[in-house]
Amino acid sequence: MVHWEHRYLLGTMIFTIAGDVVRDFDDEHEAWNWLESEGWGLVAIEPPDPVRPGVCKYYFKRQRLPQATRQPITAAHPTSKQERRGI
């Protein structure tokens, strides 16, 4: 089953959807670069806040694939030997 993780960017800070701070950067460009390098994709932009004009909230998500739970094959399996027939 596919699991989606969500984050949002406000200014220079990256948050979880619950509002916990994930990282704080010196500038917004650094934050964008980090999100892109970690596999986050932009999915929505919230309009600017009337209290803080010009500041938008950017929503990101990324797909986290489930880890394989298969056990590695360690036992040797017999193979059939093909005999070469003389001509």
Side-chain angles (χ1 to χ4, degrees):
M1 178 178 209
V2 175
H3 176 72
W4 289 97
E5 296 177 306
H6 298 84
R7 298 277 190 268
Y8 69 88
L9 172 65
L10 184 61
T12 61
M13 298 179 78
I14 299 170
F15 298 86
T16 65
I17 293 302
D20 300 322
V21 176
V22 176
R23 293 218 30 198
D24 188 7
F25 293 87
D26 292 330
D27 64 24
E28 198 169 334
H29 181 71
E30 260 188 290
W32 275 92
N33 283 341
W34 182 82
L35 284 162
E36 289 176 350
S37 71
E38 292 292 314
W40 294 92
L42 180 67
V43 292
I45 302 171
E46 190 174 286
D49 187 345
V51 176
R52 296 174 63 188
V55 177
C56 294
K57 191 183 282 186
Y58 301 94
Y59 291 92
F60 294 82
K61 73 177 183 178
R62 74 175 173 184
Q63 189 178 36
R64 189 176 75 200
L65 299 174
Q67 295 179 347
T69 57
R70 284 193 221 166
Q71 295 295 324
I73 298 172
T74 56
H77 296 287
T79 58
S80 63
K81 293 183 180 180
Q82 293 182 353
E83 293 180 19
R84 187 172 178 171
R85 295 182 186 184
I87 300 179

